[in-house]
Structure formats: C-alpha cells, structure tokens
Amino acid sequence: MRKVFDLGFKWVTGLCALLACGVLALMVGAILFRGLPAVSWHFLTEQIRLVGADGGIFYNLVGTLILITTALIVSAPLAVGVALLQGIYLRSAAGRRRLLLLLYLLNGVPSLLFGLFGFIVFVKFLGWGKSWLTGGILLGLMILPTVTVALIERISSLPRRYLEAAAGLGLTTEQVIWSVILPQSVGGLITGALLGLARAAGETAPILFTATIFAGATVPAGIRESPVLSLPYHIFVLAQDSFDPAVGTKVWGTAVVLLGLVGGLSLIALPLRLRIHEEANHG
Amino acid sequence: MAESRSAPVLEVRDLSVLAATQPILRGINLTVPAGVILALLGPSGAGKSTLLRCLNRLIDLTPGLRVQGEVRFHGQSIFAAGADPDALRARIGILFQQPAVFPASIRQNVLFGVRHAGRVPRGDWPELIERALGEASLWEEVKDRLDAPALRLSVGQQQRLCLARTLAMNPEVLLLDEPTSALDPRSAEAVEHSLLRLKGRRTLVLVTHNLAQARRLADQTACLVVREGAGEIGLPDPDLDRPAPTVGEI
Amino acid sequence: MFFKPTSQPPDVRRRRLPRVPHTRVFSWLCTFLVGLFLLSLVALFGWQSLPVWRDVGPAYVTGTLWFYRQHTFGTLPMIYGSVVVSVVALVLAVPVGVGAAICTAEILPPRLRLAVKIAVELLAGIPSVVYGLLGILFLRDWVYRLLSPWDPLSGDTLLTAGILVGVMILPTVLTLTDDALRGVPALQRQAARGLGLTCSETVCSVVLPQAWPGIVAAVLLALGRSLGEMIAVFLVVGRQDNQWPAHLLSPQPLMQSGQTLASKLGGSETNIAYGDPLHWAAILGLGLLLLFLVGTITAMSFRFLRQDRHA
C-alpha cells in the first residue's frame, strides 16, 4: 500500500513536470513550424510593405534593439546603486527588508501601469509624444528588480573574507567596492541584465501608448515625436488581423524572430544565473 | 571474523564508493556481530559517515555517488535489485551529529516513524512513547509537556528526542554518526548512558573520533585510514581493542 | 588574486583623499529615485482618478454598467472578469506547478533538474504577446470546440483567457515552489528517510509543511501576475463590456466574452478618454484599483516569503 502510493506520487509529480516541459515544446514547436518558412534574409533586412502582408521587419528589429539598449543603460547604474545599498551599506535587517519589499513591489506592478504612467508623464505632461526614450526608460524601470536581485544575490554570496582581507589592507569601503565587490559580482549583473532584457524585448504593454507605432518609423533622430517600430507591437497588431494568410505567415515569422531574440538572451544567462541563485539561497 | 561470535547482522564485502571516478571509500570489509557496539574510528574525511550511510542505503539520497561491492543484512544483499530501502531503514535506524527534530510537538516527533509504518496499534502509542523516551533517558525531563514544541528543547534534549524517535521504530541496528560531538557534556553523558543500556539488545555502529568515548562504549573497533585519497580499513589501535572495564560489567 | 594590494603607502593615502563618499551618495540616490518612482506612480493614479471618486463615488466599484458617453462608470463586471480569469488560471497552474516542483526538487537527479528548470525559465521568458498569438490561433478554436455543446457565441471567453494565463503563470508557481521546497534543510529529509519513510511520505509530512509559507507566497505572486496580465488576455477575452452575470456562481460567464480591469485599460478607450476629465479619471481609476489589488497581494506574498526564510 505504501509502496503503491509512493510510486503513484512519483508518477503524478513526474507527469506534472512533463506537462510543463510539454507545453513549452508544443508552443515552441507550433511557432517554429508556422513561422520558420517566413524567416529569410530578406525578411530581416526589408521594411514593412502592404500593412504587414509583405516585406520584412528590419526596422521592427532595430526599434526593439534601440528600446532594450536604452533599458539597459537606464537600469544597470540604478541596479548597481540599489544593490550596493542592500548588500553593503544597509546594516540593519529591517532596512534591508524594507528595500527588498520596495523591489518586490516594483516587480509586482503590472507592466501596463508602467505604460500608463509613461503616457501621462512623458507623452502628455512633458509633451514628448511617442518616443523611444520613454519606452526605454519605462522598460528599464520595469526590469530593474530582475537585474538588482541578481546582483544582490551575487554580492551576498561573496565570501566575507575577501572583504575583510581588503579592509585589512587599509582600503576604504569605497575602494573595496570598486576593486573587489563589483569586479567579483559582474557575473550577477550580466546574467540579471540579460534576463531583464529578454523580458523587456518581449513586452508590449509599457510601450503600447508611449513609444511604438505600427508602421512609418525608421531610426529616430531626436526625442520628441520619435517613435520606433518594435517586434512585439507588430505581433500584437497583426494578431488581431491574422485571418489574411499572407499576414499570418508574417506574424509567425515575427514571432520566431522575437522568440529567437528572447530565447538567445535567456539561454546565455540561465545556466550561470540558476547556479548563482542556488548558491545564494541554499548555501 | 563472523564465526567468532553469533551470526553477523551486517557484513560489508569489498565495498567502494565513488564520486564520479574519484573513490571516497575503497575495498571496505567489515563484519558487525549481533548485539555489539562497534566503534568506527578514523580521521575526518576518511569517509566514516559515508560508510555508515551505506549500511542503511541513506547514501542513495546523495546524488552523484556510485556504490560498488556488497552489504549484507542477515545474509541478504541490501543493494540487490529487489531490496526495499525504506523497509531496510525502518529496521536500521540512524542518528546524526546534529539533531534533526521536526517542527512539531515532542509526542509527534516520537511517533513520527511509527505512524507511517503502521505497525503499532494506536492504543499502544502512549506506552510506546514512554518506553522510547525512557530508553533515550529523556522521559523524566519531558513527561509533563509531551505536547510542547520539540524545537523548544535544548540541543542535548533534541538529540535524545531523535534517539527516542529512532528507538520507537524498534530497530535491530542503530547507526550513530558522532551523536555526542555537538552536545554539552551532560547531554553527551546521558546519550552515552542510553547507548550502554541498549547494548546486547540491539546492534550499534558508532562513528566517533573521540577515542575515550570508543573506549567507554565499544566492544569492537574498526579504523578507517586515508590511503591515496580514499578511506580504507586500517589496523585498529591495539589499546582500543581491549574492552573497557565498565563495558564488561554491564 | 581578486585585488591587487597597493604597493606604496603614499599611493593609498592619495586614493583616500576624497572626503565625499561618492559611491555611498550614488547608492542612496539610486534607491531614492526608485522609491520616488513607485510613490509617484501611486500618487499619479490617485490624483488623476480623483474626479471619478468625487463624482461617481462608491457606485464606481459597485455599479455594473459602463457607458462612457452617458458618463456611467461601473467597474464591477471588470473586477469580476479579472477574478474569474485569475481563479481559472490558479486552478490550472497551482496543482501542476506544485506537482512539477516536487518532482524537480525532491525526485529528479541534479542534471535533469537543471534541464527542467532551464526549460521552465524559457517558458517564463516567452513574451505575453506570443502567448496571445497562440491563444488567438489555437486555443480560441479548441475552447470553441470544447464548449460547442453549450453553443457559445465565440471562442473568446473568460475560460480561454483563464487557460492562457494559467500557462503563463505556471513557471512562476513552479520556480518559487521549487525554491521553497529546496529551502527545507536536507537533514530533515535524511532524518525522515532514516526512519524508513518513503519519498512521498517525507514530502507530505516533513517537506511540504515546512515549505508551506513559501508555496503560499508563490501562489500569491502568481495571482498578482495573472490579475495584471494585459496583452494575452486582451487578445482572447472578447472585451465585451457590461457582462454582469445573473447568477454569480453559475459557470455560464466562463463561456462568454468578458472584460478584465487590465484588458479594459489596454483598449482604445484609453486613447479616446484623455480629453474628457471624468472619463479619463474613470480609466485611471481602473489602474488604481489594479495597482491596489496587485500591491496588496504582492505585499502579502512578501510577508509569507520572508517568514519562510527566517523560520
């Protein structure tokens, strides 16, 4: 009886794990099957034509890259600052707890609300109109918790004795940070940033009202009224109108490219990220 | 050797444990006769705990280790294909260096294994609790607060609670992995006292690097030594092989 | 070596000169900015939605009708839609996620475990718009066929959105539950196994009771995610206003189109509303409601998570 239950238990949980992996395989398989035929060199290097039914997605790719690069430039310094406060400067457990709650809350804010915030503040109050910079700033703030927590976990897994050894040589906290802590934890920053960027690349909601349009933009020349095209918004628009077979192929092709970008960024980061995470949480 | 006393309870034959290709234990042979306390001595890192965990297959829970050779329990190979490690562990209990009490009451901790094994009828539980805690020299200290959280006990009391929990399963063999090294002297003495009272009725394998403790408790000793990076059975210290007088009296 | 010891003492002294601890100031400034952003987010939504609280009052959250041309703003059907979608998502994702996490944390050998975890993280990384696309082109039709005995109007239903969001939050449940299970000390498992308990008995009576707060935190966080999800829900929920069910607990609404707080906010009405102060306030009020709901749930989740760490 006990043996039977044990075996059944293992089977059921195993099936759950298999189901999770199966869903992934099914989804990726379906997208590749539908979309790969559409992906070609021309698809990547040409502009949109015929409202998405023909041509390629060159400027969508460029736009998404502009957005996530801006997000990286916004979030990386902030992440370093916040992580140092959490990992080094804050001495009290209560203070650290409060800062962590702040990050946790920020991580919980629905991405759509970032978009509305940007719409009110940048698009309307500051009068920027739709601008790549707004999108980059919002995406940067949105991925900030991901990047910061990765960095914090890396910093907190550094052996205390490095810091003590450095301090023992008469270095100030400032010098220890720049000569020991940051060089040692750059791995955490990179993996966190890559995962954050993977998320940012696929987000539609924050840029919907603030930074992206469907057609007619190239490389932005300024800040005001300088929207970009983007991959996720392209899919979002075409998905609502995907009964035209020509459009259907293009939208799947775009999904393949977006998935490739996101998956590539994640795959570089994940093995290292998971290891740091395990070390930080389970000794 | 086996024929020198009664039939052996545990026999280890040419046992090796490898992590990837790196041996941790190499070619271990050991015979544990029934009813004795066998002390397993040796420097830290010689693989004493690993050997102990092989005896009830707790080693299975550590991923990445490969076990070669044989361990026989009453003549049956425990690593054989059809063997049931859970049933084996119910008969060969283990006590760790650090007490591992569950976050529940004292009573629930003692009954923990019994409840799942379902061998003792519910009506006999109060008696079982008293016997197990008594054997572990803890009954007098906790009899009035069996429903108090076990985590509120001192470390020494927790370790004796773990002993009681194992004894409640009525195991034939008890594996002890440095059971007193994390304890205060008074608790260590109480644990040793309990172990001595078990002698003859159960078979005990005690890992320790406290020579005095081995002398006080053990009928037999075996030594693990490190040779070329792996633990092997070495020559026991002749002084230790002689049972201490206190042991003879009991 | 991890750092070079400076060789000459004067060098050290020269480097020590700056009196202002730039890094410390920078660090505090960054954190201040992040905190300021979060505060101003709440403040902005509160301030901009003030007219609707003043003019419509409590009817804003109890009214079941939304006709913006008549300035009738009742959000209850959208709150209901959000709740239904989230409940369906949790009902699907929690059992599978917790089961799979038990498998990865307690049963699988390390290599396989890492493989599954990477697969799950990839699943988490798939953009929501791609989920939405798959929802539109596959799930919608499947649900339509599944519901055909009841003659649904379309495949765009609350059920469709719930299933889709369920798949989306599965990785959140799985990863955080796995973390919670792995947080239970290995010695506890060994002690239970040493008593002869089977793997499943150890999980049920030792590991799960101790990992409980962490699992609750995981579920709450997943709930927060599902309430806030816009893009994927937007594409498959039908976005039908004023769908207030006659019987609250009947399964009928599952088979009909509906609207959630988030899908309403993502619609074109947000662009139309900006010129009209009351309409705009009503739209941002939805944002405030969402922010309040998700914020409360996230904070609760945080409490459970921290409790888990300190136990």
Side-chain angles (χ1 to χ4, degrees), chain A residues 56-245:
Chain A
I57 51 166
F58 179 67
Y59 284 112
N60 301 81
L61 195 55
V62 169
T64 286
L65 290 177
I66 290 173
L67 288 174
I68 64 173
T69 312
T70 316
L72 176 67
I73 293 169
V74 170
S75 65
L78 282 173
V80 170
V82 176
L84 284 179
L85 194 68
Q86 172 79 7
I88 309 290
Y89 291 121
L90 277 185
R91 297 266 168 213
S92 78
R96 281 207 291 264
R97 201 185 138 85
R98 236 168 277 154
L99 181 51
L100 213 54
L101 176 63
L102 175 72
L103 288 173
Y104 213 76
L105 285 173
L106 186 64
N107 195 38
V109 173
S111 55
L112 171 67
L113 298 185
F114 282 91
L116 284 175
F117 177 86
F119 180 74
I120 300 169
V121 172
F122 295 101
V123 178
K124 297 297 181 186
F125 289 180
L126 295 181
W128 287 3
K130 282 194 173 183
S131 165
W132 58 275
L133 186 58
T134 310
I137 292 172
L138 294 175
L139 290 174
L141 284 169
M142 196 192 76
I143 63 172
L144 184 69
T146 311
V147 188
T148 311
V149 168
L151 190 56
I152 289 172
E153 283 187 351
R154 184 72 187 113
I155 289 178
S156 61
S157 71
L158 287 182
R160 223 52 220 171
R161 63 192 148 85
Y162 292 165
L163 314 184
E164 281 157 14
L169 288 167
L171 275 76
T172 62
T173 309
E174 191 129 325
Q175 289 164 333
V176 173
I177 286 170
W178 290 103
S179 61
V180 185
I181 293 169
L182 287 181
Q184 280 291 297
S185 30
V186 84
L189 183 64
I190 290 172
T191 56
L194 285 172
L195 286 183
L197 290 186
R199 206 181 135 201
E203 272 293 346
T204 319
I207 56 176
L208 189 61
F209 300 119
T210 56
T212 187
I213 55 174
F214 178 70
T218 54
V219 179
I223 293 175
R224 277 165 178 271
E225 301 294 344
S226 315
V228 286
L229 305 186
S230 68
L231 293 172
Y233 187 62
H234 193 68
I235 300 175
F236 182 67
V237 173
L238 290 185
Q240 298 174 61
D241 175 36
S242 55
F243 298 104
D244 180 346

Side-chain angles (χ1 to χ4, degrees), chain B residues 219-231:
Chain B
D219 309 300
Q220 296 191 0
T221 55
C223 256
L224 277 182
V225 293
V226 184
R227 208 169 286 149
E228 290 162 29

Side-chain angles (χ1 to χ4, degrees), chain A residues 26-40:
Chain A
L26 202 70
M27 289 175 56
V28 173
I31 294 163
L32 290 182
F33 179 74
R34 289 285 188 105
L36 267 187
V39 180
S40 65

